[in-house]
Amino acid sequence: MKIKMILIITSLLIAVHYSLTTPCLAQQITLSLDPPIVQTHIRPGKSILVAYTVENSGDPTPLQFLIRPFTPQGQEGALSVGDTLEGPILFSLENTDVAFEKPFFFKSDEKRQAVVKIQIPEGVPEGDYYYILLAETVPSFSVGGQTTSIASAAVGSPLLINVTQTGITEAKGTIAEFSIKPTYTFTFGKRIFRIVDTGIPLPLVFSIRNAGNTLIDPQGTIKVRAGKKTTSYDILPQHILSNSQRIVKINPPQTDVPSNQTAHLSGLQLGKNTITASVSFGENTPTLLAQTDCIGIPIRLFTLSFVVLVLCGGVVVFASKHKPLKEE
């Protein structure tokens, strides 16, 4: 009797719970924005139009377009996006049915174009200005008495604007760091010896500093020379924004390399390995050079060989001590 009463009470509580709960519908948000990045040169007093296309491959959702300034953060390609639109450059949407920061209902499998007008007033100082166009979902809303929960999501397209009267930009790039992470390091006199294990890929860090007011695009190679053998790696083309520092990557990129490293160099040889980098920033710019070296030793192989020898020696000693005596 008690068990039956408990089951009845439990059933009533479950029924009350579901009758008082408003159903919540999960949303799948899949947005894409084209072009993924825009780079342009504009003279003061001029304006241009840039057409963006946003596509919704997920569920229906309210959406809005935003323009925000951004600044590079750290040296791994991160961006810090501002909360409000600031700066001397003027933006407007030329669409008749869409305006900045005005939500509209975006259906599934729909495409919507945003035609952005960029205007540079007279007197704007020459240099780079960085913004990002965002297509951003709007928080939850109510439809037919049901609460539709929409996760916050946004896609963005960086807008790199160079304000210039002549179209000529000055590259002021320097090598900020060119270093390896050896297995062991020791100093003898005034010399530093870097010991690396030839059986393990060697982490390399190569970062470039842009001290100018316009972005630069480094191009060059990294070479590993050991004896008569030379292995070359091309630098991956990438933007380094004004007054920032960034770690460059090799081309093709290595997927297993963390963001704070350039590459993992493999195939190092026994003995001295010399690692060099040469980089420039376009036509009529000087080539910058950097170099470091290391001594390659098959440490793992030596360690394994030593362990095998010790084990073999131990077996021989053990066998000799327990050798059976001959009967007389």
Side-chain angles (χ1 to χ4, degrees):
M1 190 67 179
K2 289 183 178 180
I3 295 177
K4 186 180 291 185
M5 184 62 68
I6 292 173
L7 291 175
I8 294 173
I9 294 173
T10 303
S11 300
L12 288 173
L13 290 175
I14 293 174
V16 171
H17 170 76
Y18 278 103
S19 65
L20 296 178
T21 302
T22 302
C24 182
L25 304 178
Q27 288 278 320
Q28 180 182 359
I29 301 173
T30 307
L31 302 173
S32 61
L33 187 61
D34 185 68
I37 186 172
V38 173
Q39 181 181 358
T40 183
H41 302 271
I42 314 177
R43 293 191 330 187
K46 301 295 182 179
S47 64
I48 64 168
L49 296 178
V50 180
Y52 294 88
T53 301
V54 61
E55 182 177 0
N56 181 15
S57 303
D59 294 329
T61 177
L63 196 75
Q64 63 180 349
F65 291 114
L66 308 171
I67 288 278
R68 293 289 184 264
F70 75 84
T71 55
Q73 290 288 314
Q75 59 176 0
E76 300 174 18
L79 305 178
S80 176
V81 180
D83 295 328
T84 57
L85 180 59
E86 300 174 347
I89 298 178
L90 305 178
F91 297 92
S92 60
L93 271 180
E94 296 298 288
N95 305 60
T96 57
D97 57 341
V98 182
F100 281 129
E101 304 190 37
K102 299 292 184 182
F104 59 92
F105 193 72
F106 200 25
K107 299 178 182 178
S108 297
D109 300 320
E110 183 182 2
K111 291 183 179 180
R112 183 69 67 95
Q113 191 174 70
V115 180
V116 179
K117 182 178 181 180
I118 307 169
Q119 185 176 358
I120 312 298
E122 292 284 358
V124 172
E126 291 188 320
D128 277 8
Y129 298 86
Y130 303 133
Y131 295 87
I132 186 168
L133 175 76
L134 295 169
E136 179 183 78
T137 60
V138 179
S140 60
F141 66 108
S142 179
V143 176
Q146 294 183 339
T147 300
T148 305
S149 177
I150 299 201
S152 178
V155 290
S157 174
L159 179 55
L160 314 179
I161 302 172
N162 174 246
V163 178
T164 174
Q165 286 283 5
T166 62
I168 300 175
T169 59
E170 183 180 5
K172 294 183 178 180
T174 60
I175 296 176
E177 181 181 358
F178 186 72
S179 63
I180 58 175
K181 296 187 176 182
T183 309
Y184 303 104
T185 302
F186 67 91
T187 304
F188 184 77
K190 294 183 178 180
R191 293 195 60 185
I192 299 176
F193 294 88
R194 305 170 186 87
I195 308 299
V196 301
D197 190 344
T198 56
I200 303 176
L202 176 64
L204 171 71
V205 177
F206 183 21
S207 66
I208 294 175
R209 173 72 183 172
N210 182 359
N213 292 323
T214 58
L215 66 82
I216 56 177
D217 296 292
Q219 48 192 298
T221 58
I222 297 170
K223 295 183 178 181
V224 181
R225 186 175 69 255
K228 295 182 179 181
K229 181 182 178 181
T230 300
T231 305
S232 296
Y233 305 88
D234 291 329
I235 294 175
L236 180 71
Q238 56 196 110
H239 296 314
I240 301 180
L241 305 183
S242 64
N243 299 299
S244 70
Q245 183 172 316
R246 187 168 185 182
I247 293 176
V248 296
K249 300 288 186 177
I250 62 171
N251 192 23
Q254 298 173 327
T255 56
D256 59 337
V257 175
S259 59
N260 61 351
Q261 296 177 9
T262 295
H264 286 172
L265 306 177
S266 58
L268 298 177
Q269 303 296 306
L270 178 65
K272 184 178 179 180
N273 294 263
T274 302
I275 306 166
T276 60
S278 60
V279 61
S280 63
F281 308 105
E283 296 182 1
N284 302 320
T285 61
T287 299
L288 305 181
L289 302 174
Q291 177 176 308
T292 186
D293 55 51
C294 60
I295 299 174
I297 298 177
I299 298 175
R300 284 190 174 184
L301 180 60
F302 284 174
T303 302
L304 180 61
S305 300
F306 177 76
V307 171
V308 171
L309 288 174
V310 170
L311 291 176
C312 290
V315 170
V316 171
V317 171
F318 179 82
S320 63
K321 288 184 177 181
H322 294 79
K323 186 176 181 181
L325 298 176
K326 294 183 179 179
E327 294 183 358
E328 294 183 0

